Amino acid sequence: MAVDIHLPSIMKVGGGAISELQDMLLTLGIKNPCIIADPVMVSLGKVESITSMLASYASNIEVFSDVMPEPDDKSINGAVSLVKQSQCDGLIALGGGSAIDSAKAIALLASHGGQMRDYKVPQVVTQQSIPIIAIPTTAGTGSECTRVTVISDSQSAEKMLCMGPGLMPKAAILDYELTLSVPYRVAADTGLDALTHAIEAYVSKKSNPFSDQQAIAAMRLIAPNIIKACKTPQDKAAKEAMMLGASLAGLAFSNASVALVHGMSRPLGVHFHVPHGMSNAMLLPLVTQYSLTGNSEKYAEVAHYLGLVDESNITNIADSHERLIEFLHHLNQELDVPTMSSFGIQKAPYDDIIELMATQAIASGSPGNNPKVPAHEELVQLYRDAYA
């Protein structure tokens, strides 16, 4: 069966690649850009660095620096107005997944109007908007390489999944040097997000030969480097591997979709404000254990690509599965992933909202891509089992 593959038109990869931003603007014909960033990028001087770099190119670059973590539709309204009023013809998205996801939504609404809920799945965003140059400063979300954005609905408290080729950034700059100063917790959470992307893309019912190859490469880069990149942040080789691995994982899931972990993770972020990568990590061992029988061979292959079993032993399915689950628990322990209770989620309000979270998870469509698709009652039980 033929599959559609979507990629950024231009990718600059490597240390110091940020220096080629002006050339990229010229290539894309962007004359009046707006930078989309969060307050941390301002405080670290990264926004000023870009405006200074481009001073001779554009004398008055607009900046929207109020991106919120786990953005909702209200948080981007000011940026949409700014982009329209200033007649900006392109966006520079600087930061983590929240900045890049916000930029995708801002470009869409500034170009075509409406509300984000008008574009959520099952709608497919085919409309082309003003171009985005995505510059990730974390190695995790892969949003710079995906045709996906996730924006919460401030009215319904639903994390809306929006997908389609119109959301793919026109260009991406993958400069691992921008990740050297990322705080430990951010590095861990985004790295675990990238690992989840790679695994879920590989086992997804929508996987294909192209996405499989990107997922395999991502797993091989992330597994041996994620702990080093977090605990020894000046390890440039590990940081470079994580940046590339995260983007390859983004390419993989953008062209194959994520699955049950992400479906269950999004409601946790909305209702309990758990950082997205952290909520993925909280769920990954349990959901993987549940899903093994849905595609036992592919999960054994995951163990191999993560470096846990030799190719000669991959046919020992039970051993491969055991090593995989052990590894996922080990990562959570090594990278200090909290339990839900230690994060601060109280059991009573959690139990009260499980039914709603299960409904929202199913509505996102992601659980339907899982090798083993849970019924509503099974999802409710998984949420119960996940609380610790």
Side-chain angles (χ1 to χ4, degrees):
M1 180 185 296
V3 295
D4 294 328
I5 302 298
H6 298 277
L7 313 168
S9 298
I10 308 168
M11 297 177 70
K12 298 285 187 181
V13 182
I18 188 68
S19 65
E20 301 193 38
L21 175 57
Q22 181 171 314
D23 289 343
M24 192 173 278
L25 290 167
L26 280 167
T27 299
L28 295 175
I30 300 173
K31 298 178 181 178
N32 186 28
C34 178
I35 297 173
I36 308 297
D38 60 34
V40 174
M41 292 295 103
V42 175
S43 65
L44 292 175
K46 294 188 185 295
V47 171
E48 183 181 2
S49 175
I50 287 181
T51 56
S52 298
M53 181 193 309
L54 300 177
S56 62
Y57 180 81
S59 58
N60 185 28
I61 297 176
E62 298 290 354
V63 176
F64 178 81
S65 58
D66 291 330
V67 167
M68 65 178 283
E70 313 291 331
D72 65 18
D73 48 2
K74 283 186 176 180
S75 72
I76 61 175
N77 288 339
V80 173
S81 298
L82 174 64
V83 169
K84 292 170 71 174
Q85 291 169 5
S86 302
Q87 297 183 320
C88 297
D89 57 357
L91 305 181
I92 299 169
L94 177 70
S98 294
I100 300 173
D101 275 10
S102 293
K104 293 176 181 180
I106 293 161
L108 179 64
L109 297 184
S111 299
H112 303 289
Q115 303 294 323
M116 281 310 294
R117 65 180 63 92
D118 301 330
Y119 299 99
K120 71 177 183 178
V121 168
Q123 297 297 319
V124 178
V125 180
T126 57
Q127 301 93 325
Q128 292 298 308
S129 304
I130 58 173
I132 298 169
I133 299 174
I135 308 174
T137 59
T138 64
T141 72
S143 187
E144 69 278 1
C145 294
T146 75
R147 53 191 181 99
V148 179
T149 189
V150 179
I151 304 291
S152 295
D153 187 321
S154 55
Q155 292 183 10
S156 66
E158 174 191 359
K159 245 185 177 181
M160 299 179 290
L161 178 64
C162 303
M163 298 184 68
L167 294 171
M168 179 67 72
K170 288 296 181 188
I173 294 177
L174 310 182
D175 186 342
Y176 74 89
E177 293 179 358
L178 298 175
T179 70
L180 295 177
S181 59
V182 168
Y184 170 82
R185 188 70 260 154
V186 175
D189 292 344
T190 56
L192 290 162
D193 190 22
L195 180 65
T196 307
H197 290 155
I199 293 173
E200 289 210 297
Y202 190 70
V203 301
S204 168
K205 288 186 173 182
K206 293 183 179 178
S207 66
N208 56 75
F210 177 88
S211 64
D212 278 355
Q213 291 307 307
Q214 313 313 308
I216 290 168
M219 287 187 278
R220 284 175 163 163
L221 285 164
I222 293 169
N225 288 292
I226 183 170
I227 293 175
K228 288 187 289 184
C230 293
K231 295 195 172 184
T232 53
Q234 296 309 309
D235 186 330
K236 292 186 177 182
K239 288 287 192 180
E240 185 171 20
M242 286 301 299
M243 174 64 88
L244 182 56
S247 295
L248 288 170
L251 287 176
F253 90 79
S254 181
N255 290 286
S257 295
V258 287
L260 182 55
V261 174
H262 274 76
M264 293 181 65
S265 174
R266 296 186 195 103
L268 284 175
V270 170
H271 298 290
F272 300 105
H273 309 293
V274 185
H276 176 65
M278 181 184 290
S279 59
N280 279 344
M282 288 174 171
L283 295 164
L284 184 57
L286 172 70
V287 172
T288 301
Q289 181 75 63
Y290 165 83
S291 304
L292 290 173
T293 56
N295 195 333
S296 58
E297 292 81 7
K298 262 206 159 179
Y299 277 109
E301 291 166 8
V302 166
H304 169 59
Y305 295 128
L306 292 174
L308 309 177
V309 296
D310 295 335
E311 189 168 10
S312 59
N313 294 328
I314 201 171
T315 53
N316 188 336
I317 301 293
D319 181 62
S320 297
H321 288 179
E322 183 178 352
R323 289 172 185 259
L324 173 59
I325 301 303
E326 286 177 354
F327 174 71
L328 298 179
H329 282 296
H330 170 72
L331 273 186
N332 282 2
Q333 182 178 7
E334 284 291 310
L335 297 178
D336 305 306
V337 175
T339 62
M340 292 187 192
S341 57
S342 63
F343 179 79
I345 298 173
Q346 299 298 310
K347 192 170 190 309
Y350 178 86
D351 287 343
D352 287 344
I353 207 167
I354 281 179
E355 290 281 349
L356 175 60
M357 290 197 295
T359 298
Q360 291 177 336
I362 291 172
S364 75
S366 298
N369 304 323
N370 206 56
K372 182 179 178 181
V373 180
H376 180 90
E377 297 77 16
E378 290 179 290
L379 251 178
V380 167
Q381 188 59 52
L382 282 169
Y383 272 121
R384 289 198 180 106
D385 293 343
Y387 188 89

